[in-house]
Amino acid sequence: MPTGSCTCRPAGTLQIGALESTAATRLPPVLSRYHRAYPDVRIELVTGTTGALVTRVMNHEVEAAFVAEPFTANDLEAEPVFSEELVLIAPKSFPRIKTRKDIGHTTLIAFATGCSYRRRLEAWLGSAQMVPERVMEFGSYHAIVACVAAGAGIAVVPRSVLRVSRGERDVTAHPLPAAVAKARTCLVWPRGHQSIALDALRAELRKASRTSHVAS
């Protein structure tokens, strides 16, 4: 039901999904405040790629999810909540990258197919006929950054992930064009879905955006 339509307090279980980067860098303070305000709500959080999370929401496996644009959500409602800056990371030993052609056909290290950030990088490279020699897929940013640092290839990650993981000291971060670098994270949920607990989370996110200016 709409926020503020009754005096009922949220309770029970709220199952949500999130990108690993969002779960690690954006959600901890939000969920901490939510827990203090609504201790009767048990939050169950699962992580995955945008594609996988959208499918989970569509299948009603989770109530809502934090996903990155672009995504297809014909039967979902969406609310922008965070803005991320994506950067291209390369090994310290890699030559300076000024254009896409400087990347050559270097191995791409990324999440599995379904990752919106990976699609952005592949589309950017593809528009210049640059195709990675191969793709190595991992399930965490920790593994991706470590693999890049070891010299195995390049990757695209949110700058916030590098700050949290302190990965900036192990890799070189290169800026990307604004059209590629600026990525919005949206909260999505089934169209018409009503939930007091979810409404409370959305209110907490709006409050956070007003105080920290993280929303787009």
Side-chain angles (χ1 to χ4, degrees):
M1 62 188 64
T3 304
S5 62
C6 78
T7 58
C8 300
R9 285 184 59 80
T13 300
L14 175 61
Q15 296 174 309
I16 57 175
L19 303 171
E20 184 185 275
S21 56
T22 303
T25 65
R26 302 295 190 182
L27 291 187
V30 173
L31 296 185
S32 177
R33 289 192 297 269
Y34 185 92
H35 177 68
R36 289 196 298 271
Y38 309 107
D40 293 332
V41 178
R42 175 186 174 185
I43 294 180
E44 295 183 355
L45 177 68
V46 298
T47 60
T49 64
T50 289
L53 292 170
V54 166
T55 298
R56 280 179 173 266
V57 175
M58 297 284 288
N59 292 339
H60 302 283
E61 296 171 12
V62 295
E63 197 164 328
F66 294 89
V67 300
E69 293 180 328
F71 58 87
T72 301
N74 295 330
D75 296 319
L76 300 181
E77 296 186 53
E79 181 176 340
V81 288
F82 305 118
S83 291
E84 297 291 353
E85 178 197 0
L86 305 183
V87 294
L88 181 72
I89 60 172
K92 290 283 190 181
S93 59
F94 201 85
R96 183 176 176 80
I97 298 175
K98 295 181 179 179
T99 69
R100 285 170 285 190
K101 294 190 180 298
D102 293 331
I103 298 172
H105 299 284
T106 306
T107 296
L108 172 62
I109 302 169
F111 282 97
T113 302
C115 173
S116 291
Y117 299 157
R118 171 178 170 174
R119 289 203 301 271
R120 281 171 175 262
L121 181 62
E122 289 178 329
W124 179 61
L125 294 175
S127 64
Q129 288 75 53
M130 304 303 298
V131 180
E133 182 178 284
R134 64 180 179 135
V135 178
M136 296 175 62
E137 297 182 348
F138 290 89
S140 74
Y141 277 114
H142 178 78
I144 288 173
V145 174
C147 204
V148 171
I154 62 165
V156 60
V157 301
R159 190 179 289 279
S160 58
V161 167
L162 288 184
R163 294 194 186 105
V164 169
S165 67
R166 299 183 180 178
E168 290 174 307
R169 63 189 178 188
D170 301 317
V171 299
T172 301
H174 301 272
L176 290 165
V180 182
K182 186 178 180 181
R184 293 197 309 181
T185 302
C186 297
L187 180 67
V188 298
W189 63 93
R191 190 174 303 280
H193 176 69
Q194 297 180 342
S195 165
I196 297 175
L198 180 58
D199 285 347
L201 177 60
R202 292 173 58 202
E204 188 61 50
L205 289 164
R206 288 192 292 270
K207 186 188 307 180
S209 73
R210 289 194 295 269
T211 57
S212 63
H213 305 287
V214 294
S216 55

